[in-house]
Amino acid sequence: IIQKKLGKKKMTLISFAGSTAISTLMLMLVLFAFDNPVTPWIYFVGVFFHNIFMALWTVTSPAMTADYCEYQQWKTGDRLDGYMSQYTTTISTICGMFTGLLTSELLIKLGASSSSDYSNPVVLKKVFIFWGILGIVCGILAIIPFLFWDLSEEKQLAMAKDIKTRSLREKLDDGA
């Protein structure tokens, strides 16, 4: 419902901007109120709202992927859904492995005595600061390409109609 009302681009920008804003607020909370006993509860609520904003992207992502695959088919005549799916899966797997390896090393670099030293408040504060900065940087980087996304809903529907027309013409030309 939200996607139909706002459009995929606006919904994506709201998702990334919202999660970036929440990351910024959480970073400020850690920087200025880390020792307050209420901070963990506020941080928990922040993570909840951050996940709500990211859920919007989870809804929009498959639709936008289909749109750019359709655009590519409209432009070139070839549709690369399988290729894009495999490419994304491969990149996600590599990034996931890299992230998993980095976590324990990062904790040690931030002052932990081991990769499971979560009880040290100095280390914990550094980790939260790092996560906050990373959330802000990644959020901003995620927004940038979508500022240039010019595939409106109307343009996408026109492309889909044109692709269908081309397909029918090809079938007629082939004698089917």
Side-chain angles (χ1 to χ4, degrees), residues 6 8-22 49-61 139 142-143:
L6 295 176
K8 291 172 258 196
K9 178 181 178 177
K10 283 183 186 172
M11 192 164 148
T12 298
L13 289 172
I14 288 169
S15 171
F16 292 149
S19 64
T20 303
I22 294 291
F49 282 110
H50 183 272
N51 288 340
I52 287 175
F53 278 110
M54 290 316 298
L56 294 175
W57 170 241
T58 303
V59 171
T60 314
S61 176
I143 288 170

Side-chain angles (χ1 to χ4, degrees), residues 30 102-115 117-118 120-134:
V30 170
L102 266 179
T103 303
S104 60
E105 291 303 313
L106 178 65
L107 279 170
I108 292 169
K109 293 286 184 213
L110 293 174
S113 58
S114 70
S115 62
D117 187 7
Y118 292 105
N120 184 335
V122 174
V123 172
L124 202 53
K125 184 174 182 178
K126 289 178 183 178
V127 168
F128 286 143
I129 289 170
F130 181 79
W131 280 344
I133 292 169
L134 191 62

